[in-house]
Amino acid sequence: MAEMISPDAISTILAKPSTDSSSELPELVVQVLDLKPTGSKFTFTASDGKMKVKAMFQSTLSSLITSGSVQNLGLIRILDYTLNDIPTKNEKYLFVTKFETVSPALDSEYKAEAKTKDSGLEMKPKQEMDGEVKSEVNGIVLKSKQEIVTKSAAQIVHEQHGNMAPSARMAMTRRIHPLVSLNPYQGIWTIKVRVTLKGNMRSYRNARGEGCVFNVELTDEDGTQIKATMFNEAAKKFYDKFQLGKVYYISKGTLKVANKQFKTVQNDYEMTLNEYSEVEEASSEATFIPETKFNFVPIDELGSYVNGRDLVDVVGVVREVSPTMSIRRKSDNETIPKRDITIADETKKTVVVSLWNDLATSVGQELLDMADKSPVVAIKSLKVGDFQGLSLSTLSKSVVVINPDLPEAKKLRSWYDSEGKETSLAFVGSGLSPSTKNGVQSMYSNRVLLSHITSDPLLGEDKPAYFNVKAYTSYIKPDQTMWYRACKTCTKKVTDAIGSGYWCEGCQKNDEECSLRYIMTVKVSDASGEAYFSVFNEQAEKIIGCSADELNELKSQDGESSYQLKLKEATWIPHIFRVSVTLQEYNNEKRQRITIRAVAPVDYATESSFLLEKILKMKISKIE
């Protein structure tokens, strides 16, 4: 009997991504290599001796594989398949949906080096000296069925389990995937995670209707976190299921790239669970306490986070602990406990951290009891506010660890014991302007020169970068578009209405009058160079010294010369600018866009203190 490997099977499959019932499928006999279980499916490499392609059996075929019908190094005839692209790689993936077994395992991997016949591999009977008949496949011996010891995929998995440590065998049973390994293009996965934050059920209404939603933050034993969101039926199904602090097995969820604007955990992806997702509490198995991972921000660099969306982690030596205070919350008139602690780090700056609710009464009390020993605390997920210039506040998800076993904490303890306790420390909020309704923020931290921004073409690529710059407005081009006509109600752009007046698309109404709002570009210079900044209405008013309506009136009544003189008077005046830096694509080229977010006049007393402190640091570093 002759059986053949189709020598051009893989090239045929690659040329025809799927089967077509209207045409006859050519003979596709391939060898199965590297057969192994992956979740509920089995993956392998399909080979015709000349070419190979990564492949997977449909999950409904798994029983045939575990029974031994398919063996590693065996031959199968592919009857139905689809060929898929792997989005993250430039390669194809064969998905086998129907097949039949041609032969059990060959002695070794077939290589198409010998002669072929009828576009296949001829198998000849060969008489051995002992009278035993075997089949030979161009030099590769195929044993008769009586000699073959069938080793099924289930046996292979069992042997793999036996060689593993007990904890690894348990993970293999469910094939637990670490969160760091998940991506949107992955197939079936199961994760084992603890619920470290559970949100409230919220109602929403949009153009598609009404619904409900809630989310949880999940942490695995490596400390990796991910946010999982559930809508409508899934939200109702799992809201009571998920309990804060408990451990669960979760599968059949979907992942997508996280929205950086609303990202609350350090993960590139976020998870969505639907009503078909599986959530099982890990009550009968050993649970775990996730390792808390920190990404510390030095105290003197906190200024760039003021009133931003990003949360910060800090480590510091506790200098002061206040008694517990009772604060009445405006939203619901409820009284909640609060306690302030003051911490310091090697930047020789201090900052006040407000502990709220349970953290104020539990950890806060513990810190008060040991305040004379100046403990080190590591705090995760703090909100940076502008109270007294700059302050930190805990949230429901914040974690406080006293005297943590971390390299940063040990280094800080060594510094404080040797010199820090005798060093004069300054409050990080000193000289920082608290936020106003116009968004003026800390201007004396995270200060850079213009060259620091312009010399880095990739700055702001992943997310906006914020800096403070002391510079001069060196030129305002008079013939640029300086303003736009805006609705007096919503400030959105208006157009000429039919007949008379102005039409506002936002308010859906006509108005007889409109206002002018600045939107322009200015050239800014300092000692290191120059750059063009985009500036909007409130900031432009501070730079020019009048509103856009007033400047337009000056231009129309007093003429072009008075208008240009007003712009010239606004140049070469020093300001402190808070700017954001982003990358924008224009004509397939990425360019930096620097936007002024706040403008403040130079406070020369504070500026002098800032410069003296920099000089002192330069002297110290030179001595060292």
Side-chain angles (χ1 to χ4, degrees):
M1 179 181 179
E3 298 288 0
M4 296 179 293
I5 293 178
S6 307
D8 298 315
I10 302 303
S11 59
T12 301
I13 290 170
L14 293 176
K16 188 176 183 180
S18 63
T19 56
D20 185 357
S21 58
S22 63
S23 61
E24 186 177 349
L25 187 68
E27 184 80 354
L28 300 175
V29 178
V30 298
Q31 187 178 26
V32 176
L33 305 176
D34 303 322
L35 179 65
K36 58 186 177 182
T38 303
S40 62
K41 300 184 180 71
F42 284 84
T43 59
F44 68 102
T45 299
S47 171
D48 62 11
K50 293 189 294 185
M51 298 180 66
K52 297 179 180 179
V53 65
K54 290 183 179 179
M56 177 183 290
F57 289 108
Q58 187 177 6
S59 58
T60 56
L61 305 175
S62 297
S63 59
L64 295 175
I65 302 163
T66 54
S67 67
S69 295
V70 178
Q71 298 177 28
N72 197 43
L73 299 180
L75 306 183
I76 63 169
R77 180 179 291 106
I78 298 176
L79 303 176
D80 196 9
Y81 68 88
T82 56
L83 191 68
N84 300 323
D85 290 309
I86 301 178
T88 55
K89 299 180 181 178
N90 187 24
E91 59 182 303
K92 305 286 187 179
Y93 211 101
L94 175 64
F95 193 72
V96 178
T97 55
K98 188 177 181 181
F99 75 95
E100 63 182 24
T101 302
V102 173
S103 165
L106 304 181
D107 275 356
S108 61
E109 179 183 345
Y110 165 67
K111 302 287 186 182
E113 297 174 352
K115 295 179 180 179
T116 60
K117 182 179 180 180
D118 297 329
S119 300
L121 182 64
E122 186 177 5
M123 302 173 65
K124 304 175 183 178
K126 180 180 179 182
Q127 184 71 34
E128 300 294 333
M129 290 181 65
D130 57 2
E132 181 185 14
V133 178
K134 296 187 178 181
S135 295
E136 186 178 276
V137 187
N138 282 3
I140 300 175
V141 176
L142 175 59
K143 298 179 181 179
S144 63
K145 287 187 177 181
Q146 287 79 5
E147 289 187 6
I148 295 171
V149 178
T150 303
K151 185 180 286 188
S152 69
Q155 289 174 305
I156 295 172
V157 173
H158 180 72
E159 290 177 3
Q160 291 174 345
H161 285 197
N163 295 327
M164 293 179 180
S167 59
R169 289 201 295 268
M170 182 182 297
M172 188 66 180
T173 304
R174 288 183 176 265
R175 294 198 58 80
I176 303 302
H177 289 69
L179 286 178
V180 71
S181 71
L182 299 188
N183 63 72
Y185 314 109
Q186 206 160 347
I188 296 175
W189 45 257
T190 299
I191 56 174
K192 183 180 179 183
V193 289
R194 184 185 293 274
V195 178
T196 49
L197 180 68
K198 179 181 177 181
N200 295 322
M201 184 78 79
R202 307 186 307 276
S203 299
Y204 67 87
R205 177 183 297 174
N206 56 29
R208 291 175 291 182
E210 299 180 357
C212 58
V213 60
F214 90 100
N215 55 62
V216 291
E217 287 181 11
L218 309 171
T219 308
D220 67 7
E221 56 189 340
D222 294 328
T224 306
Q225 292 186 304
I226 194 168
K227 184 175 81 170
T229 303
M230 286 139 281
F231 293 91
N232 302 324
E233 294 304 318
K236 297 172 184 176
K237 178 180 179 180
F238 295 121
Y239 185 76
D240 294 329
K241 179 84 171 179
F242 280 121
Q243 298 296 319
L244 188 64
K246 289 189 176 182
V247 178
Y248 299 87
Y249 292 106
I250 300 175
S251 60
K252 297 185 180 180
T254 58
L255 285 92
K256 65 177 181 178
V257 177
N259 187 331
K260 294 180 179 179
Q261 186 178 0
F262 303 105
K263 190 166 70 172
T264 58
V265 298
Q266 293 299 316
N267 199 314
D268 293 334
Y269 304 112
E270 58 187 32
M271 184 183 299
T272 301
L273 302 180
N274 57 42
E275 60 266 38
Y276 303 110
S277 298
E278 295 181 358
V279 177
E280 177 188 345
E281 184 179 347
S283 55
S284 59
E285 299 190 28
T287 57
F288 60 91
I289 299 175
E291 176 189 355
T292 302
K293 291 187 177 181
F294 295 91
N295 185 21
F296 295 120
V297 177
I299 292 178
D300 68 346
E301 296 180 13
L302 292 171
S304 60
Y305 295 88
V306 172
N307 291 340
R309 292 184 179 274
D310 291 340
L311 304 179
V312 300
D313 306 340
V314 297
V315 59
V317 179
V318 177
R319 295 290 301 259
E320 297 177 14
V321 183
S322 77
T324 303
M325 299 167 277
S326 295
I327 305 297
R328 190 174 296 278
R329 191 160 50 194
K330 292 181 179 179
S331 59
D332 55 10
N333 210 31
E334 182 182 350
T335 301
I336 54 176
K338 173 193 174 187
R339 189 192 302 266
D340 289 338
I341 63 172
T342 302
I343 62 173
D345 68 5
E346 291 173 278
T347 64
K348 300 177 182 178
K349 296 289 186 181
T350 65
V351 67
V352 174
V353 182
S354 296
L355 306 178
W356 295 89
N357 296 309
D358 291 342
L359 290 177
T361 55
S362 56
V363 176
Q365 184 60 47
E366 189 176 350
L367 289 173
L368 182 62
D369 294 339
M370 57 193 306
D372 57 329
K373 299 177 183 177
S374 299
V376 174
V377 292
I379 311 177
K380 184 172 184 63
S381 300
L382 289 166
K383 179 73 174 175
V384 186
D386 59 10
F387 181 67
Q388 294 182 341
L390 193 154
S391 61
L392 302 174
S393 293
T394 60
L395 305 171
S396 58
K397 63 183 291 184
S398 300
V399 177
V400 181
V401 183
I402 301 175
N403 292 326
D405 186 16
L406 299 170
E408 296 90 344
K410 293 176 181 177
K411 182 181 177 184
L412 184 59
R413 167 55 62 196
S414 177
W415 166 80
Y416 188 77
D417 291 341
S418 61
E419 59 175 294
K421 63 174 65 177
E422 306 297 335
T423 302
S424 177
L425 305 175
F427 174 53
V428 70
S430 298
L432 306 186
S433 303
S435 294
T436 67
K437 64 181 180 180
N438 294 328
V440 179
Q441 296 183 339
S442 306
M443 296 295 190
Y444 290 91
S445 62
N446 201 27
R447 177 83 71 84
V448 299
L449 295 171
L450 282 175
S451 60
H452 175 82
I453 299 173
T454 57
S455 63
D456 187 353
L458 297 179
L459 199 63
E461 182 177 28
D462 295 328
K463 65 177 181 179
Y466 292 86
F467 300 99
N468 296 316
V469 180
K470 177 180 176 287
Y472 297 82
T473 304
S474 53
Y475 181 62
I476 304 174
K477 190 176 180 181
D479 58 348
Q480 67 175 303
T481 301
M482 297 284 292
W483 48 66
Y484 70 93
R485 293 182 299 183
C487 173
K488 286 190 171 183
T489 304
C490 69
T491 72
K492 290 185 178 180
K493 187 177 181 179
V494 297
T495 56
D496 291 326
I498 298 175
S500 63
Y502 305 95
W503 169 255
C504 175
E505 189 69 27
C507 298
Q508 291 288 301
K509 67 175 184 178
N510 282 331
D511 203 325
E512 291 300 318
E513 295 181 348
C514 68
S515 63
L516 301 180
R517 292 178 64 85
Y518 286 115
I519 178 171
M520 60 182 187
T521 303
V522 299
K523 184 160 74 171
V524 176
S525 307
D526 69 2
S528 69
E530 59 186 22
Y532 282 92
F533 288 2
S534 298
V535 58
F536 298 101
N537 192 63
E538 287 78 7
Q539 291 74 37
E541 287 181 352
K542 294 180 181 180
I543 294 171
I544 297 176
C546 65
S547 67
D549 286 311
E550 292 170 339
L551 187 61
N552 179 57
E553 187 177 350
L554 177 68
K555 183 178 182 180
S556 59
Q557 292 184 1
D558 297 347
E560 187 70 24
S561 59
S562 297
Y563 163 72
Q564 293 194 20
L565 179 61
K566 183 66 175 177
L567 296 182
K568 188 174 182 180
E569 289 175 350
T571 60
W572 299 112
I573 297 174
H575 296 283
I576 298 178
F577 300 103
R578 178 169 176 79
V579 299
S580 65
V581 185
T582 57
L583 282 188
Q584 294 189 341
E585 191 166 321
Y586 181 75
N587 287 339
N588 295 323
E589 180 183 353
K590 288 187 176 181
R591 298 181 180 179
Q592 259 185 0
R593 178 181 173 89
I594 309 173
T595 305
I596 297 176
R597 299 299 180 183
V599 181
V602 178
D603 182 333
Y604 287 101
T606 306
E607 184 70 15
S608 298
S609 299
F610 172 76
L611 294 175
L612 286 171
E613 187 174 345
K614 288 193 69 175
I615 293 171
L616 181 61
K617 286 183 178 179
M618 292 169 63
K619 285 183 177 180
I620 293 173
S621 61
K622 189 174 182 181
I623 293 172
E624 293 176 347

